[in-house]
Amino acid sequence: RKIFQKFVPSAVVDQTLGQGELKLGGETKQATCLFLDIRNFTQLSTQIPTAVLVDLLNRIFSLLQIEATKSGGVIDKYLGDGALVTWGAIPCSDANSASAIQCAIEFLKALHILNIEIGKIGMKPVEVGMGIHKGTVIAGNIGSQDRIEFTVIGNTVNLASRLEQLTKVFKCHIVVTEDVADFKVLDKQWTIHKDIQVRGIDSKIDVAAFSMNPINSTSKDKFSA
């Protein structure tokens, strides 16, 4: 069980153990999804030894795991140089978008400390982008009878991924929708961008972009889900 929980969230383990046979399928839920991407990872992989690269990647994901767990989130999957974190998708979890934003900000603070550490040995700082959206997902067992993965699918997941890509456009660390945060109460570290056309979305949307100021990384950031 302890080993299994390193691959699958404990709530899914509890739901799975004791079943005679796992069934494919899912159920509709409200969830908050966070997509994370490590910038310039392909270029980074050509500059440092493989063992150092893997160790760095594991340290980054360990920081993400710590902050996700603190906030009640679950890492749905690792995506090579990225990850998908969810709130509300697994049984007995809450789709709290405020927790997702706090997780993202606390992760950036932890990453800043790691960047100072690796900078001392001559490595360039690691930059990331994150997109967060809240909405309806289908959560459940996806795959085949021989290979099953518990995951989330749907437009909410897709939009979170598109928002992460917008961080490159806005040169920021986090991009969220109005389904995630009340834009009226965001502090000055957030910038509102109106009428943004997102690939795969018919209508234009408003988004908020957050940039971490390392000097002020200990400040409390105001937001409301």
Side-chain angles (χ1 to χ4, degrees):
R1 180 187 179 92
K2 289 181 179 179
I3 294 174
F4 193 22
Q5 287 180 179
K6 292 182 181 295
F7 292 90
V8 182
S10 59
V12 178
V13 175
D14 293 337
Q15 189 181 53
T16 301
L17 293 179
Q19 292 187 18
E21 182 178 354
L22 288 176
K23 295 181 179 180
L24 296 175
E27 57 182 310
T28 301
K29 291 189 174 186
Q30 282 290 309
T32 300
C33 298
L34 181 155
F35 260 94
L36 174 141
D37 179 69
I38 300 173
R39 295 286 177 257
N40 303 317
F41 186 79
T42 301
Q43 181 181 3
L44 185 65
S45 66
T46 64
Q47 297 174 344
I48 60 177
T50 301
V52 176
L53 180 69
V54 171
D55 178 66
L56 177 61
L57 195 60
N58 288 337
R59 293 177 70 179
I60 294 169
F61 285 149
S62 292
L63 296 177
L64 181 64
Q65 174 68 57
I66 291 170
E67 299 306 333
T69 301
K70 285 181 183 178
S71 64
V74 172
I75 294 182
D76 179 284
K77 62 170 65 69
Y78 294 111
L79 303 162
D81 58 348
L84 168 62
V85 187
T86 64
W87 289 259
I90 65 172
C92 303
S93 65
D94 183 14
N96 191 328
S97 53
S99 295
I101 295 179
Q102 193 63 51
C103 170
I105 292 174
E106 293 300 323
F107 169 73
L108 288 175
K109 294 176 183 178
L111 182 63
H112 174 61
I113 295 173
L114 175 61
N115 279 333
I116 293 175
E117 183 180 336
I118 65 176
K120 293 177 180 178
I121 58 174
M123 292 180 63
K124 294 182 179 179
V126 174
E127 292 289 344
V128 300
M130 290 175 277
I132 309 175
H133 182 53
K134 180 180 180 180
T136 302
V137 302
I138 298 175
N141 298 320
I142 309 296
S144 68
Q145 289 297 342
D146 294 326
R147 177 68 171 85
I148 294 175
E149 179 181 17
F150 185 91
T151 190
V152 292
I153 58 174
N155 290 332
T156 297
V157 185
N158 297 338
L159 181 52
S161 176
R162 300 287 188 266
L163 295 175
E164 178 276 310
Q165 295 170 16
L166 281 179
T167 61
K168 301 175 184 177
V169 177
F170 299 137
K171 300 185 186 307
C172 63
H173 294 105
I174 308 169
V175 172
V176 306
T177 61
E178 289 185 285
D179 294 292
V180 171
D182 182 354
F183 289 0
K184 296 178 182 178
V185 299
L186 295 176
D187 70 13
K188 63 182 179 181
Q189 283 185 282
W190 293 85
T191 303
I192 311 302
H193 300 274
K194 294 184 176 293
D195 298 325
I196 303 301
Q197 185 66 61
V198 180
R199 182 164 58 90
I201 305 298
D202 294 333
S203 57
K204 294 183 178 181
I205 63 173
D206 297 341
V207 301
F210 175 89
S211 294
M212 173 65 77
N213 179 0
I215 298 175
N216 195 33
S217 62
T218 58
S219 65
K220 292 295 182 180
D221 306 287
K222 299 177 181 178
F223 55 83
S224 176

